[in-house]
């Protein structure tokens, strides 16, 4: 009898452990993987977060969903999101090429980009091309393709905002084609004087989107779209943007 009782006890224990493992697995599966790049001040890193990361937290709150936000170099983040079923990707600009790979859900934030210099302003693609100045642009970004389409050959693709800030400060590049918000933020963060920056006229306007792997559940997609629209009306939205812009 004692042997039977012990055997039954072991079976119950194993059954309990199996149920616990299933519960933990189910809980983990409720967290949606969301990829982003190191794109300050929109997405900085796990500790400092960034505008878009904090906005995604509000989106999760509004949608009743939890996100597992993962950072990677921008080109790799896009590849990981493309290869991970049900994954999200933010902040991503729209292009026909990306439309074939991702489902665009809703716009998170609007931005404008310009040529940032330390001497004379560059207000158009034509001026940038004719100046012969070396322009830095983010590796794998839509902006790099815009420069190419505009006929520029005098540009360098550079992996990070930190590198481009330092290269502009030290004269290794003459201009930086980026979001005006990013240039000012990075110069402050690196201890450079943002007052030195000469920001040209906005030459492109962009929408930074929340997108998803093509396999995303339609119900989840709908919940996210509704949640983003709610976040746009949330007073905390502009409080977050202003905190990083200031």
């Amino acid at each position: 009898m004692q042997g039977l009782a012990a055997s039954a006890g072991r079976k119950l224990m194993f059954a309990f452990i199996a149920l616990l493992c299933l519960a933990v697995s189910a809980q983990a599966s409720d967290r949606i993987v969301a990829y982003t790049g190191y794109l300050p001040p929109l997405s900085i890193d796990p500790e400092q977060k960034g505008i878009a990361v904090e906005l995604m937290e509000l989106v999760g709150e509004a949608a009743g969903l939890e996100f597992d936000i993962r950072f990677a170099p921008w080109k790799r983040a896009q590849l990981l999101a493309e290869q991970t079923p049900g994954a999200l990707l933010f902040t991503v600009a729209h292009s026909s090429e990306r439309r074939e790979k991702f489902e665009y859900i809703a716009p998170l934030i609007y931005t404008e980009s310009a040529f940032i210099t330390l001497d004379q302003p560059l207000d158009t693609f034509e001026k940038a091309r004719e100046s012969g100045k070396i322009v830095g642009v983010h590796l794998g970004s839509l902006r790099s393709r815009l420069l190419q389409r505009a006929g520029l050959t005098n540009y360098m693709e550079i992996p990070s905002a930190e590198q481009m800030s330092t290269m502009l400060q030290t004269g290794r590049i003459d201009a930086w084609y980026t979001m005006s918000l990013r240039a000012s933020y990075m110069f402050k963060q690196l201890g450079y004087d943002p007052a030195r920056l000469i920001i040209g006229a906005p030459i492109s306007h962009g929408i930074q989107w929340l997108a998803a792997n093509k396999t995303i559940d339609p119900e989840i997609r709908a919940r996210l779209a509704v949640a983003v629209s709610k976040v746009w009306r949330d007073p905390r939205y502009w409080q977050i943007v202003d905190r990083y812009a200031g």
Side-chain angles (χ1 to χ4, degrees), residues 8-235:
R10 282 195 297 271
K11 288 180 180 179
L12 284 171
M13 181 180 69
F14 289 140
F16 174 76
I17 291 172
L19 286 171
L20 183 62
C21 289
L22 284 172
V24 171
S25 176
Q27 186 178 23
S29 67
D30 289 340
R31 290 169 59 83
I32 299 173
V33 175
Y35 290 102
T36 191
Y38 298 101
L39 304 169
L42 300 182
S43 45
I44 304 172
D45 58 39
E47 290 73 37
Q48 299 179 82
K49 296 186 179 181
I51 296 172
V53 175
E54 292 198 37
L55 293 180
M56 282 296 290
E57 292 175 346
L58 296 185
V59 171
E61 177 186 311
L65 298 168
E66 289 189 32
F67 301 131
D68 177 7
I69 295 177
R70 301 181 185 180
F71 289 79
W74 184 229
K75 288 191 75 171
R76 179 159 177 75
Q78 296 173 67
L79 182 62
L80 289 168
E82 183 184 353
Q83 295 176 343
T84 305
L88 304 178
L89 177 67
F90 72 99
T91 51
V92 57
H94 181 276
S95 72
S96 55
E97 179 185 353
R98 287 173 179 160
R99 172 66 74 178
E100 295 177 2
K101 300 176 181 178
F102 301 105
E103 293 288 335
Y104 282 79
I105 297 174
L108 276 180
I109 188 169
Y110 292 90
T111 58
E112 59 181 31
S113 297
F115 289 109
I116 315 297
T117 62
L118 299 180
D119 45 32
Q120 64 183 34
L122 297 174
D123 294 329
T124 64
F125 287 126
E126 291 74 21
K127 283 186 178 179
R129 184 177 62 244
E130 293 166 2
S131 73
K133 291 179 178 292
I134 301 300
V135 177
V137 66
H138 209 111
L139 177 67
S141 67
L142 180 61
R143 292 181 193 85
S144 68
R145 291 196 288 277
L146 291 176
L147 292 179
Q148 186 178 23
R149 290 174 197 163
L152 273 79
T153 56
N154 51 315
Y155 69 91
M156 297 171 56
E157 289 192 280
I158 301 166
S160 74
E162 290 85 352
Q163 285 175 271
M164 280 184 279
S165 300
T166 300
M167 291 174 76
L168 182 63
Q169 171 75 8
T170 58
R172 293 171 59 197
I173 58 174
D174 303 306
W176 180 11
Y177 179 35
T178 189
M179 290 184 293
S180 310
L181 178 67
R182 174 170 295 147
S184 298
Y185 174 84
M186 287 308 307
F187 259 56
K188 289 178 187 175
Q189 290 298 303
L190 294 174
Y192 306 145
D193 182 6
R196 293 191 64 204
L197 296 175
I198 297 176
I199 299 175
I203 57 172
S204 60
H205 297 79
I207 302 173
Q208 307 302 316
W209 286 79
L210 169 61
N213 184 281
K214 286 283 189 178
T215 63
I216 188 170
D217 185 310
E219 181 188 353
I220 296 295
R221 177 180 176 171
R223 286 169 65 181
L224 288 169
V226 170
V228 172
S229 69
K230 289 180 180 178
V231 168
W232 272 99
R233 299 190 298 272
D234 190 319

